[in-house]
């Protein structure tokens, strides 16, 4: 099953993608995660991407498409994959079409998570991540037992640079128009499924599972 999970930052894409990928035993490929890994390891690509990510801008298509092409050639994607955060532009969507065509594959569906802007700003600017194990918390919706400390490993909780409110608003602004374009692109191909991501995560998961079962 080859699926794209789309949606503005804060719609819960990442959280849902982990659950769905595990349920269907397919790799979860998140461009944001791959960039962050490369930044941490100080690879050349990580160095190029870092400046854009910090500013809440998109990393150039050329860098992003080359990275995803390499990833989709890995054998663990033979039985399917769940793309999270890619494509984010029409150029990337066209690149994905040609990468898949070359690999003799096609998309079964594109799911787009949707929620009002204020919900997204509150979710993102309240997010905290464990600097040691990467577990996500939220200062209001899922706070740790002890302020600033990870329940699982005792690591220090941090705010991602790009989760600061002004950067969050910039990220939403940058992504909004592009997301609408992508929705039209995939609607025309009859691949698009839209899902309301405002309810609690479990409710959203049930809706997504029901859609994926039909693919
Ligand atoms: P995310 O973790 O998905 O919110 O991504 C974090 C940041 O990585 C984004 O704000 C962009 O700067 C960059 N990024 C992730 N995916 C893409 C993409 N498909 N195209 C361009 N930039 C991306």
């Amino acid at each position: 099953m080859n699926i794209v999970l789309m949606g503005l930052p804060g719609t819960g894409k990442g959280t849902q993608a982990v659950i769905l990928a595990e349920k269907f035993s397919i790799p979860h490929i998140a461009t944001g995660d791959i960039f962050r890994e490369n930044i941490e390891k100080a690879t050349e690509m990580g160095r190029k991407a870092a400046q854009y990510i910090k500013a809440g801008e998109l990393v150039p298509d050329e860098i992003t498409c080359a990275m995803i092409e390499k990833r989709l050639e890995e054998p663990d994607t033979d039985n399917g994959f769940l793309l999270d955060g890619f494509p984010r532009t029409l150029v990337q969507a066209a690149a994905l079409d040609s990468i898949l065509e070359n690999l003799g594959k096609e998309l079964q569906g594109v799911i787009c998570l949707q929620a009002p802007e204020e919900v997204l700003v509150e979710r993102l600017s309240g997010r905290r991540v464990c600097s040691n194990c990467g577990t996500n918390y939220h200062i209001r919706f899922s706070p740790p037992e002890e302020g600033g400390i990870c329940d699982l490993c005792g690591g220090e909780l941090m705010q991602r640079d790009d989760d600061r409110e002004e950067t969050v608003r910039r990220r939403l602004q940058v992504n909004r128009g592009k997301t609408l374009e992508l929705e039209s692109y995939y609607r025309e191909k009859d691949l698009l499924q839209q899902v309301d991501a405002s309810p609690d995560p479990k409710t959203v998961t049930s809706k997504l599972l029901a859609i994926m079962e039909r693919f």
Side-chain angles (χ1 to χ4, degrees):
M1 192 185 322
N2 305 327
I3 305 293
V4 168
L5 188 62
M6 270 176 39
L8 289 173
T11 46
K13 252 183 317 117
T15 310
Q16 297 295 342
V18 170
I19 298 171
L20 299 177
E22 196 184 320
K23 170 91 184 159
F24 292 93
S25 305
I26 50 178
H28 165 216
I29 302 177
T31 37
D33 289 348
I34 305 178
F35 283 134
R36 281 185 289 277
E37 277 162 30
N38 277 274
I39 291 172
E40 214 163 282
K41 290 186 192 147
T43 65
E44 194 191 334
M45 190 262 275
R47 272 197 297 275
K48 282 187 197 156
Q51 49 181 319
Y52 299 98
I53 293 179
K54 204 163 177 205
E57 304 290 338
L58 290 181
V59 177
D61 288 330
E62 202 184 84
I63 300 175
T64 310
C65 294
M67 175 179 93
I68 216 74
E69 180 167 23
K70 204 162 141 230
R71 181 65 186 87
L72 289 176
E73 284 167 3
E74 298 284 329
D76 67 336
T77 61
D78 284 351
N79 294 323
F81 54 78
L82 182 68
L83 282 178
D84 160 9
F86 184 95
R88 264 176 156 109
T89 66
L90 284 179
V91 171
Q92 294 179 10
L96 179 61
D97 287 346
S98 72
I99 292 168
L100 293 180
E101 198 184 332
N102 289 339
L103 293 169
K105 296 180 180 177
E106 57 182 26
L107 287 179
Q108 270 72 54
V110 175
I111 305 175
C112 186
L113 295 176
Q114 297 180 312
E117 167 138 352
E118 285 317 309
V119 171
L120 302 180
V121 172
E122 186 177 24
R123 282 183 183 172
L124 289 170
S125 55
R127 177 163 68 180
R128 298 292 181 271
V129 185
C130 174
S131 53
N132 182 43
C133 72
T135 302
N136 275 326
Y137 293 85
H138 190 281
I139 50 173
R140 227 182 108 203
F141 307 129
S142 56
E145 278 167 22
E146 202 182 318
I149 306 284
C150 178
D151 294 345
L152 301 183
C153 74
E156 190 187 350
L157 302 190
M158 314 282 282
Q159 184 176 42
R160 265 170 54 177
D161 275 348
D162 60 350
D163 279 345
R164 292 180 201 288
E165 185 166 338
E166 63 282 9
T167 315
V168 163
R169 291 203 184 269
R170 176 70 190 143
R171 283 164 69 197
L172 293 174
Q173 187 194 359
V174 164
N175 282 286
R176 195 178 302 108
K178 296 197 159 54
T179 301
L180 288 174
E181 285 175 356
L182 286 171
E183 285 178 66
S184 308
Y185 183 83
Y186 287 123
R187 191 176 292 112
E188 263 175 40
K189 290 179 179 275
D190 209 15
L191 287 171
L192 185 72
Q193 301 272 346
Q194 289 167 305
V195 172
D196 177 12
S198 333
D200 65 282
K202 281 203 176 120
T203 307
V204 179
T205 305
S206 314
K207 286 198 236 173
L208 292 172
L209 288 175
I211 290 175
M212 301 258 302
E213 298 287 359
R214 292 203 296 270
F215 284 148

